[in-house]
């Protein structure tokens, strides 16, 4: 299931907070999160957050806004 | 030291002692705390002396002033482009900031600028911290010293002293703000 997380226009730390909240609300492993943001710091911060939280991520686009696709790692 | 370099023991706790009670000192504490909590760290904020301002129900005491604050960049959030580029803290003599209303004007500008840049109001940010499980403690000694009452503080704040802070916080990380 695709879940949109819109944090466009919001600065650090809100994109991470909104992503975290959405992750908590959608605990199933099938969920795919589409995080939209305009905070340029997110280009580094979102991957850092994902790595620390054991999430997979893919940068979909950088313009006109940044969009990441984020999903949970498969259990080994 | 070697352990931390090897990355085997990433700290899972974050703690911070907040002694400053101005708006520009409140933001970094809550930004760091909310982010750390979102990354599943156990976060402990200890508010003491003027830092108590950050956890009062009434946030009108949280201000900024260029007075005695030479590092502060003060640009207008409104007006023509050239006007917004001027750093008024550098352009004007310090004496100007002693005029009545200067701190209110600076605070208004700071708040407006923060919102324009996509920040959320400080009340919202600290509420988010609590929602994310950040633990906030007000220093009992300074609460008494400044004659605050328990119900002056936002819900979720507990009261204790320095010994409790050290007992609850890690050896690894303690910033002093």
């Amino acid at each position: 299931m695709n879940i949109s997380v819109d944090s466009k226009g919001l600065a650090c730390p809100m994109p991470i907070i909104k992503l975290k909240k959405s992750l908590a609300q959608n605990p199933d492993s099938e969920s795919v999160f589409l995080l939209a943001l305009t905070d340029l710091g997110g280009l580094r911060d979102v991957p850092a957050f994902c790595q620390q939280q054991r999430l997979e991520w893919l940068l979909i686009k950088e313009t006109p806004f940044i969009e990441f696709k984020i999903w949970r790692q498969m259990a080994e | 030291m070697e352990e931390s370099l090897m990355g085997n023991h990433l700290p899972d706790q974050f703690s911070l002692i907040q002694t400053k009670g101005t708006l520009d000192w409140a933001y970094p504490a809550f930004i760091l705390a909310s982010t750390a909590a979102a990354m599943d760290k156990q976060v402990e904020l200890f508010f003491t002396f003027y830092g108590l301002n950050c956890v009062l129900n009434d946030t009108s005491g949280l201000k900024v002033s260029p007075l005695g604050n030479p590092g502060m960049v003060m640009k207008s959030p409104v007006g023509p482009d050239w006007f917004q580029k001027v750093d008024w803290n550098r352009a004007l003599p310090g004496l100007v900031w002693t005029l009545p209303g200067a701190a209110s004007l600076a605070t208004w500008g700071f708040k407006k600028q923060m919102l324009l840049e996509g920040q959320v109001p400080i009340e919202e940010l600290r509420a988010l911290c609590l929602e994310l499980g950040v633990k906030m403690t007000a220093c009992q000694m300074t609460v008494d010293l400044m004659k605050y009452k328990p119900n002056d503080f936002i819900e979720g704040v507990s009261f204790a002293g320095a010994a409790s802070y050290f007992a609850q916080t890690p050896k690894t990380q303690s910033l002093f703000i």
Side-chain angles (χ1 to χ4, degrees):
Chain A
M1 190 172 70
N2 279 1
I3 296 145
S4 292
V5 184
D6 184 3
S7 65
K8 293 197 290 290
L10 290 170
C12 166
M14 291 312 292
I16 295 294
I17 306 292
K18 291 195 93 165
L19 173 60
K20 179 69 175 184
K21 281 185 152 185
S22 189
L23 282 160
Q25 282 159 9
N26 302 280
D28 57 298
S29 58
E30 315 288 284
S31 300
V32 174
F33 300 84
L34 292 168
L35 174 66
L37 65 158
T38 46
D39 178 24
L40 290 176
L43 284 172
R44 302 281 301 262
D45 285 351
V46 173
F49 175 81
C50 289
Q51 194 190 355
Q52 193 258 2
Q53 294 282 303
R54 297 175 192 280
L55 298 165
E56 303 280 351
W57 58 274
L58 187 71
L59 178 63
I60 295 172
K61 61 178 178 185
E62 289 188 47
T63 51
F65 56 87
I66 302 163
E67 191 170 39
F68 282 99
K69 182 179 166 184
I70 294 156
W71 64 100
R72 289 184 170 89
Q73 284 176 9
M74 288 296 170
E76 283 165 22
Chain B
M1 183 77 178
E2 271 180 16
E3 274 182 352
S4 64
L5 285 176
M6 286 161 70
N8 290 337
H9 282 269
L10 287 175
D12 58 353
Q13 291 183 306
F14 172 69
S15 79
L16 192 145
I17 302 167
Q18 175 85 11
T19 63
K20 307 285 200 298
T22 55
L23 197 53
D24 50 346
W25 282 99
Y27 265 107
F30 290 131
I31 288 171
L32 289 170
S34 57
T35 307
M39 297 177 86
D40 299 323
K41 291 177 192 295
Q42 194 185 315
V43 187
E44 177 85 32
L45 300 181
F46 188 71
F47 299 89
T48 185
F49 282 84
Y50 317 125
L52 291 173
N53 260 333
C54 302
V55 277
L56 292 175
N57 281 317
D58 177 11
T59 52
S60 63
L62 285 174
K63 293 183 173 181
V64 283
S65 172
L67 193 63
N69 198 357
M72 183 178 167
V73 177
M74 201 185 152
K75 294 181 178 174
S76 172
V78 293
D81 273 358
W82 67 267
F83 188 80
Q84 291 198 30
K85 282 190 182 126
V86 179
D87 179 358
W88 296 99
N89 198 18
R90 288 191 186 203
L92 296 173
L95 202 61
V96 172
W97 309 118
T98 64
L99 295 174
S104 298
L105 180 67
T107 303
W108 171 83
F110 184 86
K111 284 182 178 173
K112 183 138 183 128
Q113 191 71 46
M114 291 299 268
L115 295 182
L116 284 174
E117 296 297 324
Q119 258 317 330
V120 294
I122 201 74
E123 296 85 354
E124 200 177 314
L125 192 56
R126 70 184 183 183
L128 274 171
C129 284
L130 288 167
E131 194 185 326
L132 287 161
V134 172
K135 244 190 120 225
M136 302 191 191
T137 306
C139 163
Q140 186 70 60
M141 185 277 285
T142 44
V143 168
D144 296 341
L145 179 76
M146 299 185 191
K147 307 219 178 346
Y148 288 126
K149 293 180 189 69
N151 57 10
D152 289 334
F153 294 88
I154 54 172
E155 224 169 287
V157 173
S158 56
F159 301 87
S164 304
Y165 171 76
F166 285 117
Q168 285 157 10
T169 51
K171 298 167 200 159
T172 44
Q173 220 169 6
S174 178
L175 293 179
F176 200 81
I177 287 197

